[in-house]
Amino acid sequence: MEQQLDWQKLGFSYTKTDFRYISKWKDGKWDDGELVTDNNLLINESSTCLHYGQQAFEGLKAYRRKDGGIQLFRPDENAKRMRLSCRRLLMPEIPEEKFIDACVQVVKANERFLAPYGVGSTLYLRPFMIGVGENIGVKPSKEYLFCIFCMPVSTYFKGGLQPVNFLVTDYDRAAPHGTGGSKVGGNYAASLYPHQIAKDRGFQDCIYLDPTTHTKIEEVGAANFFGITHDNKFITPISPSILPSITKYSLLHIAKEYLHLEVEEADVYIDKLDIFKEVGACGTAAVITPIGGIEFVGKMHTFYSQTEVGPFTKELYRYLTGIQQGDIEAPVGWIYPIK
Ligand SMILES: *Cc1c(COP(=O)(O)O)cnc(C)c1O
C-alpha cells in the first residue's frame, strides 16, 4: 500500500478505498450493478433523497480471521433490515442475494484495506439507497441508486473498551409512530443538534427516552442500550421506535446461551437506573461501549466504576468480538465466510 495505514488510529472516519458498488433501479427493475472507482455521485438536483430524505442505509463489517481468511457477521440480518427500511419509505427492496453479493464484491476489491488479524481494525461497509431522478413533488421517486462503499475503521467511540458518559436531553430522535425503527437518514438529521449539546457539555453523546412519555430509555445516540442488574439479569429496552440493533440481539443470545444469564427485553425507566450495576451501548460501529455515567435532569448516575469496565461487559465483549473474528465458535448462520 502506498500510504501506510496506522490501523489502531483510524477511529471512525472516511477513507477513500479503491472500489465501490453501484446499482441502478429504473423502469421497475435493478440493473446488474458494478464496481466503480469514482467516489462521487452525479444525481439530479430534484432527487427525493436531497429534498425529502428518501434514503435508507446499513452498516456492517468484514473481519480478518487468524488464518488470514475474511468473514462477514450476519449480513442476512442487514439485508432483511434494509428491506424493511425501504418498505417504510416506499423504496424498492434489494433482494438478499444481491445485497450480500455486493458486500462480497466490495470487500474482495478492497482487501488491501482490511488489516491483518488482531490489530483491532475491521472493514466497515456502508450500503445505502437513495431516491434519484427528476421529481420535485412529494411522492416516491421512480429511480433509485443502491451503493456500497467501505472504509477501514478502528473503534467508533475513541478509547475502545473504556467507559464514557452520556447526557439525557429533552429532544427526541423519532416520533412515537414515525421512523425510529427504520435505519433512515432522517432520524440522524434530527439527532445532530442534541448530539452537539451533549458534545459541548463534555459527554460522548445523548440518550433518547421514549417519545411518548419521556420516562424510558430507548437509544444511546446511534447505538442500543443494555444493562446487567444486581441479580445478574441482562436487560435491554423494548419499543417500536428503537432501531433493532443486530449487535443487541446477538448480545442477548450470547448472554443467554454462552454466559447463562437470564435475559429480558423490558421497559428501562430512567429514574430506576440503580437496578443496574453495569450498562453499555452496542452497535456495529460502537461494538460494546461501557457507560460510566448518565446525567438526567442535572444529576449524574454512575455505574460499576467511572473508569473500570465491569466483568460482565468484558465477557460480552470477549464473546462478541471472538465470534466476529472467528476465534469462538459462532451460532449456526452467524458467519458468512468470504475467503
Ligand atoms: C445502526 C443503528 C444501531 C446499531 O445497529 P447494529 O445492527 O447493531 O449495527 C443502533 N441504533 C441506531 C439508531 C442505528 O442507526
Side-chain angles (χ1 to χ4, degrees):
M1 194 174 316
E2 315 82 54
Q3 95 263 47
Q4 202 55 46
L5 289 169
D6 189 346
W7 301 112
Q8 275 104 25
K9 295 223 177 83
L10 291 164
F12 191 84
S13 55
Y14 180 77
T15 304
K16 185 188 178 199
T17 52
D18 295 334
F19 294 97
R20 66 276 301 112
Y21 173 92
I22 181 161
S23 181
K24 296 189 180 93
W25 165 276
K26 209 177 166 180
D27 302 325
K29 59 177 192 299
W30 290 108
D31 69 11
D32 288 339
E34 60 177 343
L35 292 173
V36 298
T37 54
D38 191 354
N39 65 338
N40 294 295
L41 295 170
L42 188 63
I43 59 174
N44 188 280
E45 61 192 355
S46 68
S47 294
T48 55
C49 66
L50 298 176
H51 300 272
Y52 309 125
Q54 204 185 18
Q55 184 270 8
F57 68 102
E58 271 303 325
L60 70 162
K61 285 173 172 173
Y63 303 82
R64 180 82 71 179
R65 289 193 309 269
K66 204 177 263 172
D67 66 6
I70 301 174
Q71 58 191 32
L72 297 172
F73 181 68
R74 312 189 76 177
D76 54 322
E77 291 294 327
N78 294 94
K80 203 177 294 168
R81 188 170 64 191
M82 179 113 197
R83 285 206 303 280
L84 296 176
S85 300
C86 290
R87 217 174 277 172
R88 179 65 178 81
L89 298 195
L90 289 182
M91 302 200 288
E93 295 176 22
I94 282 280
E96 183 171 315
E97 316 79 72
K98 187 178 174 75
F99 181 96
I100 295 177
D101 172 63
C103 290
V104 170
Q105 285 190 44
V106 170
V107 172
K108 283 188 169 161
N110 295 291
E111 187 181 339
R112 70 186 187 98
F113 292 95
L114 178 51
Y117 168 85
V119 305
S121 170
T122 54
L123 196 61
Y124 180 82
L125 305 182
R126 170 53 61 87
F128 63 99
M129 194 189 296
I130 52 176
V132 297
E134 289 179 25
N135 188 345
I136 198 61
V138 182
K139 57 181 181 295
S141 185
K142 291 192 202 68
E143 292 172 32
Y144 295 86
L145 296 181
F146 171 67
C147 312
I148 304 181
F149 66 83
C150 71
M151 61 194 202
V153 298
S154 46
T155 47
Y156 182 69
F157 294 126
K158 285 211 166 53
L161 203 57
Q162 234 178 59
V164 291
N165 297 331
F166 290 85
L167 173 71
V168 179
T169 72
D170 292 333
Y171 292 94
D172 296 320
R173 62 178 276 280
H177 302 281
T179 54
S182 309
K183 207 167 175 75
V184 301
N187 296 336
Y188 280 81
S191 77
L192 295 176
Y193 186 71
H195 174 79
Q196 189 60 45
I197 292 174
K199 276 283 175 208
D200 288 347
R201 293 212 33 224
F203 292 88
Q204 185 71 45
D205 203 340
C206 47
I207 286 194
Y208 294 98
L209 303 182
D210 71 291
T212 311
T213 68
H214 279 211
T215 58
K216 297 173 275 187
I217 290 185
E218 295 225 321
E219 294 255 12
V220 188
N224 274 191
F225 178 92
F226 70 89
I228 308 290
T229 62
H230 292 288
D231 55 353
N232 299 344
K233 218 192 237 175
F234 178 100
I235 295 183
T236 180
I238 184 162
S239 156
S241 46
I242 293 175
L243 192 285
S245 155
I246 297 162
T247 314
K248 191 261 296 289
Y249 284 109
S250 303
L251 289 179
L252 205 72
H253 183 88
I254 288 169
K256 185 159 180 271
E257 302 298 332
Y258 291 68
L259 304 184
H260 308 293
L261 302 179
E262 230 183 287
V263 301
E264 197 183 356
E265 284 183 271
D267 289 335
V268 172
Y269 291 93
I270 187 67
D271 62 356
K272 300 247 160 50
L273 289 174
D274 51 9
I275 66 168
F276 297 110
K277 51 182 172 185
E278 298 177 30
V279 299
C282 63
T284 298
V287 191
I288 291 179
T289 300
I291 299 176
I294 296 175
E295 187 186 304
F296 173 57
V297 289
K299 279 221 307 271
M300 187 71 156
H301 186 101
T302 55
F303 302 93
Y304 190 72
S305 122
Q306 282 271 58
T307 50
E308 230 180 302
V309 182
F312 287 94
T313 306
K314 269 191 197 144
E315 275 301 274
L316 288 166
Y317 184 86
R318 192 173 71 79
Y319 274 105
L320 176 69
T321 54
I323 289 169
Q324 287 172 332
Q325 55 190 6
D327 295 335
I328 295 175
E329 192 173 346
V332 176
W334 280 20
I335 296 302
Y336 191 94
I338 289 184
K339 69 164 241 196

